[in-house]
Every structure is written in structure tokens, then in C-alpha cells.
Amino acid sequence: MLAEFLGTFVLILLGVGSVAVAVVGLPGSGRQAVDFGPANWLVITWAWGFAVAFGVYVAGGVSGAHLNPAVTLAFAVRRDFPWRKVLPYWLAQVLGAFVAAALVYACYRWAIDAANAREGIAREESLGTYSIFATFPAEYFGDSWWGPLLDQIVGTGILLLLICALIDTRNTAPAANLHPFVIGLVVVVIGMAFGTNAGYAINPARDFGPRLFTFFEGWGAIALPGSFEWFSGYWWIPVVGPLIGGVLGMLVYDLFIGPVLRARTEKAEEGPATEEP
């Protein structure tokens, strides 16, 4: 549990910190004169990928570095992880995310307040500064819950399918302890391919821990229940969607790839001996 806490803490500290840099740090410090754009998005996607890699390196040797309730649930469904440890892992992951969000806020509180002051809005009305910590759906979804839910199912499904491939030593898994780094690259490409739909939480702890912190710190209904001008009651989607998607991604890998790999690794049946001429 301590390893899951610390690994998730590192993941969220670096990931959320990168969003703070892109949203309030660069503009507020005078280091960026243009509006938030593609360059900021690249900062965020690459930083989240490195954050995942380093979080896995921190905790991998002790807990397996799930760092994500969707990963824990998928491995439990797969019978690769004991069910009695699922809730303790979830608790450690959410707490690690909560504490990391609090530390990022402590470092960027001045930039956040300055950004809100420039916009002339109160904290509970500031979706922009809230987005540093947790996710929300794009405006084109309107108040639909199905679109963002599908996005989270697909994104997390891809994550788990590729994690299964990358840790499967029967397949072409990376060697020399490189799989944490490559898993980080998976998160980068998911952010680039699906990130603008709903912020690619793909991790219930990554979203709910910081979301809970922002609720206590004054963002109010934007955090919980997750309501703003075009969405309402959103908080459950980045929790339920990844849990569903993670299990589906794992099942797809085991259905399409697993049987062939198992067959190849089984001991070949011995046939009748053939004498040499």
C-alpha cells in the first residue's frame, strides 16, 4: 500500500504539475504570450507519459505499480491479483493522488489566484484553473454522458490491452526493465489520440483524488458533483468508464493473443521415435 501510495503520488505530482505549468505557470510568469494551444498540449501529454514511467519505476518492485484502480481491477478479474487486495490498493492510489494534488496546489496557489484575478472570476466559477487537477468533457458533448463515457472506456481499454502486451514475456515484451518507459509512451499516444474529448483520465484515482481535493479547496460544484455550463453530475464518468474499459481491454488481449501464446509455450507432444538411417 505504501508503494502504491508513493508511486501514484509521483505520477500525479508530475502529471498535474505539468498541467499547472501549461495553464497558469507559463502565462502567469510572462514566459508565454499566446493563448493556450497545441504546444501546451504537447507539454501535458509528454509530461503525463514520463510521470507514469517514473511512478512505475518507483513502485514496480514492491507492489507491481498498478497506480490505477482500473489496472488493479483488470488483473483481479484476470486472476493475476488477489481480490482481497483490491480495495486496499484503491485506497492507497486515491490517497496518493489526493496528497499529490494538494502539494501541486501549495506550489501553484499564487499562480492560480492570479489567473482567476485576471479573468475576474471566483474560484468556484473557474473551469480553467480547476482543469489543472481533474477532468471535464469537451463542450461539443453538451450534457451527454454517453460520449465521454465511451471515450473513457476506449482510452482505458487501449491502455490495458497494451499493458498486457508489454508485460507479457511470451510476447515481444521490452527487456532490460524498459517496460515502464514504454507504458509511459502508451499514455502519451492516448493523450494525443483521445485527450481532447474528456481529458483522458483513464484512471479513477488520477481523477477522483484531485477532484476531491479541489472540492474541499473551493471549486465547489465544478468538482463535485461535476457540474458547469454544459455538463452536470460528471464525477462518476472518469471513475466508472476506466473500470469498464480496463477489464474490456484485458479481455480483448487474452481473447485474441493469449490462446496463441499459451499454445506456443506448451510442451510439444512427443511422437514416435524415428531411427536415423
Side-chain angles (χ1 to χ4, degrees), residues 166-200:
L166 291 169
I167 66 174
D168 192 344
T169 55
R170 304 168 303 173
N171 207 332
T172 54
N177 292 326
L178 279 176
H179 69 272
F181 179 75
V182 182
I183 290 171
L185 294 181
V186 171
V187 174
V188 173
V189 75
I190 290 172
M192 290 181 175
F194 293 95
T196 56
N197 272 340
Y200 73 111

Side-chain angles (χ1 to χ4, degrees), residues 39-50:
N40 301 75
W41 191 251
L42 289 176
V43 168
I44 291 170
T45 54
W46 277 103
W48 274 109
F50 284 123

Side-chain angles (χ1 to χ4, degrees), residues 63-141:
S63 68
H66 295 184
L67 315 185
N68 182 340
V71 174
T72 302
L73 178 63
F75 286 170
V77 171
R78 199 187 201 192
R79 298 182 181 179
D80 282 346
F81 189 75
W83 281 100
R84 63 183 175 83
K85 292 185 178 182
V86 169
L87 289 180
Y89 264 49
W90 285 5
L91 177 62
Q93 292 155 1
V94 171
L95 286 175
F98 182 95
V99 175
L103 185 54
V104 171
Y105 173 78
C107 293
Y108 280 97
R109 176 172 60 86
W110 295 270
I112 290 169
D113 290 343
N116 289 337
R118 285 195 303 272
E119 295 291 328
I121 56 177
R123 179 173 294 182
E124 63 269 19
E125 300 171 344
S126 177
L127 183 65
T129 55
Y130 162 79
S131 71
I132 293 170
F133 300 95
T135 64
F136 65 92
E139 191 170 358
Y140 46 70
F141 285 119

